[in-house]
Amino acid sequence: MNNVKFYPYKSMGDGELIDITIKEMDRLKLLEKAGYFEQWKRKLTTVDLLIQEIKRRKLYIEKPFLIKRIFDEK
């Protein structure tokens, strides 16, 4: 049986993919702080797919920038 891989974000450019990933990570952080855990779980799946696509393309988000985005209070 053939395994078909599905890449929903394949049509995006590299910069666009990174921008959308960062925005979705910000939304994820807001959902967690607000206590909307069901919506947080659904959004987590989206963020996971975006990160998988970034890794598949061998892209990276600069580590200091990423750490600042995750841990800074907004």
Side-chain angles (χ1 to χ4, degrees), residues 29 33 68-74:
K29 185 168 55 172
K33 287 182 181 181
K68 183 178 178 194
R69 296 292 289 203
I70 291 172
F71 293 110
D72 275 356
E73 297 293 323
K74 285 193 173 187

Side-chain angles (χ1 to χ4, degrees), residues 28-70:
L28 189 66
K29 185 168 55 172
L30 291 174
L31 288 172
E32 183 204 9
K33 287 182 181 181
Y36 296 118
F37 294 110
E38 288 300 317
Q39 293 174 351
W40 179 83
K41 287 179 188 177
R42 289 191 297 265
K43 185 63 69 179
L44 185 60
T45 304
T46 303
V47 172
D48 284 343
L49 288 173
L50 287 164
I51 291 171
Q52 287 175 15
E53 182 65 20
I54 286 173
K55 287 182 177 183
R56 189 180 72 77
R57 294 184 191 189
K58 297 181 178 152
L59 301 175
Y60 68 96
I61 302 172
E62 295 174 7
K63 193 172 182 176
F65 177 74
L66 184 59
I67 290 171
K68 183 178 178 194
R69 296 292 289 203
I70 291 172

